Amino acid sequence: MEISTLATYHCLAFVWYFFIVYSTTQVKAEEPPSEVFLYGGQWKYLTVLNLVLQAVFYGVSFLADVLRLIKKLRCAKRVISSRDLLFSVLAFPVSTFVSISFWTLYTYNRELVYPKSLDGVIPLWLNHAMHTAVFPFALLEILALPHRYPAKKKGLILLGFVAFLYISWVLWIYSVTGKWVYPLFALFSPFGLAAFFAGSLAIIISCYNFGEFLNRMIWGESKFS
């Protein structure tokens, strides 16, 4: 894909995610359902954090494209390195995990992850923008250009560290409020919750490996932008 086309695509994707993040901050209810907007606000939900992550990623990608267009290749090389690390370790696996886990739990019992009371607060289009569209966007990014993946050990350590930070945030919120971020967590014993977190980590690692596999299958081992 031409650099100018990539720049246009990444700019539009950045604007889209910026708009979605802004839209989530405008969601309000006179009587917040299930105390959904109390301590931590929307920033306790992985879905919303992922939207911010995607906006940052596409912003970095757009910057890399612009630097290449104006022939600032030395600066572009550093930004591209950051772009690829951000995409491989976080942007692709997290967006894939968010989409798969949300719709799996929603299909099983939506009240455990997205109570019906939210339908009157969050528009249907915004729900799909947050939980559905993120996956096709991630796939399109892999199709658009190759990304250099880090050494497997480094990538998984970074991904695991970020997962640990989010789990710590969830546990901190529970310690302060006595309420779980997601109603699903209240169903587990401490051992069951630990097993659930471990299973979720295994799934997101699988998402990482899936992204690496697709990148290699489409672009081979040696072609990088």
Side-chain angles (χ1 to χ4, degrees):
M1 188 180 291
E2 295 292 331
I3 298 177
S4 58
T5 305
L6 277 175
T8 301
Y9 161 63
H10 285 142
C11 180
L12 291 175
F14 169 74
V15 171
W16 166 254
Y17 275 110
F18 185 87
F19 169 69
I20 298 304
V21 171
Y22 173 78
S23 297
T24 63
T25 65
Q26 301 306 301
V27 172
K28 301 188 186 313
E30 293 182 2
E31 297 181 2
S34 303
E35 301 184 0
V36 70
F37 298 130
L38 295 182
Y39 189 88
Q42 290 98 327
W43 310 112
K44 59 177 174 280
Y45 298 107
L46 185 60
T47 292
V48 178
L49 295 176
N50 177 58
L51 295 175
V52 175
L53 168 64
Q54 301 304 317
V56 170
F57 165 71
Y58 283 106
V60 171
S61 297
F62 178 59
L63 175 60
D65 298 335
V66 170
L67 290 173
R68 293 172 70 192
L69 284 171
I70 63 177
K71 307 301 183 182
K72 299 290 186 180
L73 299 183
R74 181 175 298 180
C75 293
K77 186 176 181 180
R78 290 194 290 267
V79 176
I80 288 172
S81 179
S82 299
R83 177 203 71 189
D84 288 348
L85 185 65
L86 189 59
F87 178 77
S88 60
V89 174
L90 293 177
F92 183 87
V94 174
S95 61
T96 304
F97 175 80
V98 164
S99 187
I100 292 174
S101 60
F102 175 83
W103 289 113
T104 298
L105 292 171
Y106 185 98
T107 301
Y108 173 72
N109 183 352
R110 66 170 297 177
E111 293 299 319
L112 297 177
V113 65
Y114 192 84
K116 191 173 179 61
S117 56
L118 287 177
D119 288 346
V121 180
I122 300 177
L124 181 61
W125 72 266
L126 184 55
N127 180 24
H128 282 292
M130 294 189 298
H131 298 113
T132 307
V134 292
F135 182 55
F137 263 103
L139 288 178
L140 183 57
E141 178 65 21
I142 283 186
L143 293 172
L145 73 162
H147 297 81
R148 186 182 296 275
Y149 272 66
K152 180 65 68 72
K153 182 178 179 180
K154 177 183 177 181
L156 293 181
I157 287 175
L158 290 173
L159 178 59
F161 177 69
V162 173
F164 171 77
L165 289 179
Y166 180 68
I167 291 172
S168 298
W169 174 228
V170 168
L171 294 176
W172 170 257
I173 291 173
Y174 177 74
S175 71
V176 171
T177 67
K179 296 184 180 299
W180 289 109
V181 171
Y182 299 103
L184 170 68
F185 296 164
L187 302 179
F188 294 113
S189 65
F191 176 79
L193 189 62
F196 177 83
F197 285 147
S200 297
L201 181 60
I203 293 173
I204 202 169
I205 288 174
S206 297
C207 294
Y208 174 95
N209 289 330
F210 178 57
E212 185 179 36
F213 169 77
L214 287 179
N215 188 71
R216 185 173 62 250
M217 289 296 294
I218 295 170
W219 298 105
E221 297 287 352
S222 60
K223 183 178 180 182
F224 298 101
S225 61

